Amino acid sequence: MAVKLGDKAPEFVVNTTKGPLALSDFHGKWIVLFSHPADFTPVCTTEFMGFAERYDEFKKLNAVLIGLSVDSLQSHIEWLKDIKEKFGVDIPFPVIADINKEVARSYNLIDEKAGNTVRGVFIIDPNGIVRWMIYYPAETGRNINEILRSLRALQLNWDKKLATPVNWNPGDRGIVPQPSTLEDAYKRINSGEKVWYLKYQEV
Ligand code: BEZ
């Protein structure tokens, strides 16, 4: 069954370009798990360099990046070596070699017809719960600004219980949870709010 928002993220124990690892090794951290269609492809190459460029920002947010495709470890190593040699970019995060497609299937990141992984991203919270996911077409590169923005929005909710309004960006006001009783709804109105169901709060 396809993993949904709010589900426990399926555990995996895998081989990666940084050695064997398990999802549970990262308990207490935010995990950005992203799949790419294939090694040695143009859009994916730009994305890997893009993630590498923003690696420290993810790290500062207590987040780890983990790449994934059904290509072999040998292929991943050759590709990352090529990126280093041709573009001068080190890829600092692990890339899973999911040759038997188990991880891809458990996260619904596989195109069964084509036999490759799709372009997807999952954000998993420090308790191992899936909090965010997005899919892009093979020909469309990911927006890393949006992944970081979403991670920060998730963390605002995690840390301060605030939701985020349309087009929120870090530094903008958050939204206080709605009252759950009639009495609290009236309290809001009586305190001068325009409506009982929307109240902003500076962060
Ligand atoms: C790419 O990364 O460039 C790509 C991968 C699979 C299909 C189309 C494009």
Side-chain angles (χ1 to χ4, degrees), residues 36-38 40-47 116-117 119 137-140:
H36 66 280
F40 294 99
T41 50
V43 176
C44 300
T45 301
T46 65
E47 290 184 329
N116 57 255
T117 18
R119 202 180 296 290
E139 298 77 11
T140 305

Side-chain angles (χ1 to χ4, degrees), residues 3-9 30-31 121-134 150-151 154-155 157-158:
V3 66
K4 300 185 302 302
L5 295 182
D7 285 353
K8 185 88 187 151
W30 293 83
I31 298 162
V121 191
F122 281 74
I123 299 181
I124 300 164
D125 78 18
N127 290 335
I129 303 298
V130 174
R131 292 294 174 199
W132 187 89
M133 62 175 85
I134 192 167
S150 299
L151 176 60
L154 290 165
Q155 292 185 345
N157 186 254
W158 180 271

